[in-house]
Amino acid sequence: MLVNLEYVYYVAAVFLIIIAGLSLKDTSNPKRMLTAVFWALFAISFAFGKLIPPMYMGIIVIVMAVIAGFGGVRPGKHKQVSDEERAASAAKYKNKLFLPILMIPLLTLIGATLLKDVTIGGLRLLDKSNVTLAALGVACVLAFIAGITLTKQKSIVPVKESRRLLDSIGWAAVLPQTLASLGALFSAAGVGKVIAELVGSSIPVDNRLLVVAAYSIGMAVFTMIMGNAFAAFPVMTAGIGLPLLVGMHGANPAVMSAIGMLSGYCGTLMTPMGANFNIVPAALLDLPKYSVIKAQVPTALILLAANIVLMYVLAF
């Protein structure tokens, strides 16, 4: 295939290595060595994750956790443009500035739907097993090129701005990847089986509505605990979704999975564990720490109730 998901990981690794190099050069950061090591280790996970034995990959993760836990990941000093320069740039490019941003979802959608079966010279264009992620990677690269072409900036400028954003987020930038891995680990450890036994002893499993509610609410609650719906999905689906909804009640797996993930996202709106979604924006905007979560809770509960109804109506 021409665009393998591994190639996307290699691009991410190169990006993170540059971030690590910029962090190392930033003498204003008192923890520049540890910060650079943190991002370099993260880059190694993308570049050599398939080659490194699991035990050593686990050691790398532990080292990253220790660096972050002891405050080793610190923001550096960044050169900021003035408000006047920002206003002048906005006036010059106007709505064209939205082009690179809009390219990402649009090109991802086109790649995942219209180009998923395209072959060139006998080679598949996009990784069949990860077509959406491969298309997303291509879309991000093309948007990057479009952005520097439009603004006529050096290619290092958006990388430096990305570093500024990463510095604002800090170690929480690795949460999606680590929490998704944790969900797979919980699933392999049999947590889903334990949940199935708990649900079976708590509610009448022959009642379809109660099982739908248990799965949807369970996705939201477990996401609140884990901080990410990707971590909750394998556990709740192995415990309730597949054996009870699909196996016993005959639910459509695709509909169940899609709405189940949406139910999990309702939990993301209500937890500080989703730090990169709920805590970091508040910090960037100088808002009270949990103000974002408090504002989102009513919407999350309404959406969760709607998801329960949708799954009950559409999945069977």
Side-chain angles (χ1 to χ4, degrees):
M1 62 195 71
L2 296 176
V3 182
N4 191 304
L5 186 59
E6 289 296 314
Y7 303 156
V8 178
Y9 291 158
Y10 297 151
V11 172
V14 171
F15 166 77
L16 288 167
I17 283 294
I18 297 174
I19 296 296
L22 292 173
S23 298
L24 186 61
K25 290 174 59 179
D26 188 356
T27 55
S28 67
N29 185 349
K31 300 286 187 178
R32 64 191 182 97
M33 292 291 294
L34 288 175
T35 301
V37 169
F38 181 87
W39 295 120
L41 290 175
F42 197 29
I44 289 172
S45 73
F46 279 102
F48 306 109
K50 273 193 170 183
L51 302 177
I52 299 174
M55 186 183 76
Y56 296 107
M57 195 68 244
I59 292 173
I60 289 176
V61 173
I62 291 172
V63 172
M64 292 177 64
V66 170
I67 292 174
F70 284 92
V73 183
R74 297 284 184 88
K77 185 177 181 180
H78 304 277
K79 183 181 179 181
Q80 298 273 16
V81 298
S82 65
D83 292 339
E84 292 76 13
E85 290 175 312
R86 291 181 184 275
S89 178
K92 178 180 179 181
Y93 298 109
K94 297 182 180 180
N95 290 334
K96 291 180 182 178
L97 289 172
F98 292 103
L99 178 61
I101 300 171
L102 296 176
M103 283 178 63
I104 296 176
L106 180 60
L107 293 179
T108 301
L109 179 62
I110 292 173
T113 56
L114 302 181
L115 303 179
K116 62 179 181 178
D117 296 319
V118 171
T119 57
I120 300 176
L123 295 175
R124 184 177 291 275
L125 178 61
L126 298 172
D127 188 342
K128 184 179 181 180
S129 59
N130 297 284
V131 62
T132 303
L133 292 176
L136 175 61
V138 173
C140 289
V141 172
L142 293 178
F144 173 85
I145 295 172
I148 59 178
T149 301
L150 173 66
T151 60
K152 296 180 175 58
Q153 295 281 354
K154 295 180 180 179
S155 57
I156 194 62
V157 172
V159 178
K160 288 182 176 180
E161 286 299 305
S162 297
R163 179 193 162 226
R164 182 174 63 83
L165 181 59
L166 273 180
D167 274 356
S168 299
I169 298 174
W171 60 265
V174 308
L175 276 178
Q177 185 180 5
T178 53
L179 290 176
S181 301
L182 186 60
L185 179 64
F186 275 21
S187 181
V191 177
K193 185 177 179 180
V194 175
I195 291 176
E197 294 173 354
L198 289 174
V199 171
S201 62
S202 302
I203 65 172
V205 294
D206 57 341
N207 187 311
R208 180 183 296 176
L209 177 59
L210 289 180
V211 177
V212 168
Y215 177 62
S216 300
I217 295 173
M219 275 294 300
V221 172
F222 209 74
T223 298
M224 291 176 68
I225 297 171
M226 302 291 289
N228 193 299
F230 289 102
F233 181 75
V235 178
M236 296 306 301
T237 301
I240 302 176
L242 293 178
L244 299 180
L245 287 176
V246 176
M248 179 179 291
H249 293 285
N252 183 314
V255 176
M256 179 204 73
S257 299
I259 300 178
M261 285 296 289
L262 290 175
S263 299
Y265 296 148
C266 294
T268 303
L269 296 174
M270 298 186 288
T271 176
M273 288 296 293
N276 49 331
F277 297 106
N278 299 329
I279 303 301
V280 171
L284 292 177
L285 298 173
D286 293 323
L287 299 173
K289 189 172 182 180
Y290 299 114
S291 60
V292 173
I293 296 174
K294 292 177 181 178
Q296 292 173 164
V297 167
T299 301
L301 293 176
I302 293 171
L303 287 175
L304 181 58
N307 285 330
I308 294 173
V309 174
L310 288 173
M311 187 179 299
Y312 185 76
V313 172
L314 301 176
F316 302 94

